[in-house]
Amino acid sequence: MTTTDQLKKAAEALEGATDVALACHINPDPDALGSMLALGLFLRARGARVICSWAQQPLEVPRWAAGLEGLDLLVQPKAFPAEPAVMVALDTASPDRLGGLAARAQKARECVVVDHHRTNPGFGTVVVLDPDASSTCELVFRLTDRIQGDLPDGAAAWLYAGLLTDTGRFQYQATTPESLRVAAALREHDFDHARLGQVLFEDSSLGYLRALAIALARVVHLPEADLVWTYLTQADLAELGASMGETDDLIDVVRTAREADVTCVVKQQRDGRFKVSLRSKGATDVGSVAAAFGGGGHRLAAGYTSDVGPEASVETLVRALRSDG
Ligand SMILES: [Mn+2]
């Protein structure tokens, strides 16, 4: 089925819905949160009863999102309907990325999945899956375009946020002429795009800058694996007064190193386990490497969770990278 056919089916499922429960992946990034709240605002403006959530209790709205509209759509995951009539899962590469809400997707009478992760197995009753789309936000724009009703300005701001971040400010390979046309259509709406860019990209705490300094001082180059890597622990953050949520763009700084194709950042999570994030400049399919470790993502950006510490995680990773190349 073409993406256009998929969008048509999803539009049909949503057009008649009076109650819609939307969910996105845990630790939502702007594409996840943006696609969910934009679609939520759009459906609510058409008269549907809408709730949005993700499986973290309590929900913590990221700082950058504080000034945007539609946060009143958010409910704690425990208030998410047990058997939704219509559910939408956004930017969610697999059911387990829904965390505790995965069972609801199974119980939902209709579950519409809108996503752009190549590794998505295609769960749900209606699937809109376009691995060539820059972002889930781009797909949501195309979806709302097929449904009667105007896109509220507040929804356009959310979509712009997801588009902006998932394309690396329109730089990454996945940025197509279509992405730019969608961006242009969104910019016709009334929202402060300059302010949005500022809260998304220029809002560091001093604690984070100090954590960045430590992580950069630890960067190791492993030429045999064409890799640079570094790590941060919970102890580092506690000492510097930074939170892990602030360190999302650490990897974007590390991967500017010209000496290697692959970048790896290992970050200890609150539960003590380690999140291993991978990026490639183009020569390595880090998506399949991450998948081999039970993770997922895209060809050039992927990740997985490891139970062992940074050194041991990277040792195993190096073996995988070398056997791959
Ligand atoms: Mn995305």
Side-chain angles (χ1 to χ4, degrees):
M1 214 192 294
T2 66
T3 307
T4 306
D5 290 334
Q6 294 178 341
L7 286 165
K8 207 185 276 178
K9 283 195 77 176
E12 279 163 19
L14 294 176
E15 244 155 10
T18 53
D19 290 88
V20 188
L22 296 91
C24 66
H25 66 71
I26 51 175
N27 301 315
D29 60 0
D31 191 34
L33 198 58
S35 58
M36 176 173 74
L37 285 166
L39 186 57
L41 281 170
F42 173 76
L43 295 172
R44 182 167 73 177
R46 297 181 77 250
R49 277 184 297 266
V50 176
I51 58 126
C52 298
S53 193
W54 67 90
Q56 270 158 320
Q57 201 124 15
L59 291 186
E60 274 170 49
V61 176
R63 241 182 110 80
W64 64 266
L68 296 182
E69 287 168 36
L71 295 174
D72 55 315
L73 290 170
L74 293 176
V75 302
Q76 298 297 329
K78 63 169 191 256
F80 203 87
E83 295 177 17
V86 180
M87 176 167 167
V88 187
L90 295 134
D91 201 43
T92 306
S94 61
D96 65 282
R97 294 285 286 143
L98 287 169
L101 293 178
R104 319 294 168 90
Q106 241 168 8
K107 291 248 170 83
R109 211 163 340 126
E110 197 85 88
C111 179
V112 182
V113 170
V114 185
D115 188 32
H116 68 128
H117 292 92
R118 204 168 287 281
T119 52
N120 193 316
F123 64 103
T125 57
V126 179
V127 184
V128 178
L129 178 59
D130 182 1
D132 295 323
S134 70
S135 54
T136 300
C137 281
E138 188 178 316
L139 288 170
V140 164
F141 177 84
R142 292 169 62 192
L143 177 60
T144 58
D145 214 26
R146 302 193 143 264
I147 302 174
Q148 188 122 76
D150 292 327
L151 189 72
D153 291 338
W158 284 111
L159 293 180
Y160 195 77
L163 194 56
L164 205 54
T165 50
D166 264 31
T167 59
R169 295 184 243 184
F170 307 115
Q171 177 198 336
Y172 301 154
Q173 205 72 49
T175 312
T176 61
E178 174 68 4
S179 317
L180 296 167
R181 278 190 288 269
V182 170
L186 293 172
R187 281 277 283 106
E188 298 288 347
H189 286 265
D190 184 22
F191 64 91
D192 190 342
H193 72 98
R195 173 88 193 117
L196 189 56
Q198 218 169 43
V199 294
L200 279 167
F201 302 112
E202 297 168 358
D203 189 42
S204 305
S205 73
L206 284 173
Y208 166 63
L209 291 181
R210 289 178 183 124
L212 184 63
I214 288 198
L216 292 180
R218 281 178 187 155
V219 168
V220 172
H221 179 209
L222 300 173
E224 69 274 24
D226 204 5
L227 174 77
V228 286
W229 77 278
T230 188
Y231 69 95
L232 278 177
T233 64
Q234 288 290 323
D236 294 328
L237 298 174
E239 195 183 313
L240 301 166
S243 72
M244 206 49 99
E246 293 178 276
T247 65
D248 286 350
D249 63 356
L250 160 62
I251 197 161
D252 294 321
V253 181
V254 180
R255 74 200 185 90
T256 62
R258 73 160 67 97
E259 285 80 359
D261 179 60
V262 181
T263 300
C264 164
V265 171
V266 183
K267 295 196 269 191
Q268 189 178 32
Q269 305 300 293
R270 262 184 252 172
D271 65 4
R273 302 175 78 201
F274 293 86
K275 189 173 153 194
V276 182
S277 301
L278 301 174
R279 298 289 184 273
S280 163
K281 293 194 179 107
T284 313
D285 180 358
V286 293
S288 64
V289 173
F293 290 114
H298 310 280
R299 210 173 68 80
L300 303 182
Y304 59 95
T305 304
S306 170
D307 289 318
V308 295
E311 299 278 350
S313 295
V314 168
E315 216 171 281
T316 319
L317 172 67
V318 165
R319 274 201 297 274
L321 286 170
R322 295 189 68 176
S323 64
D324 229 46

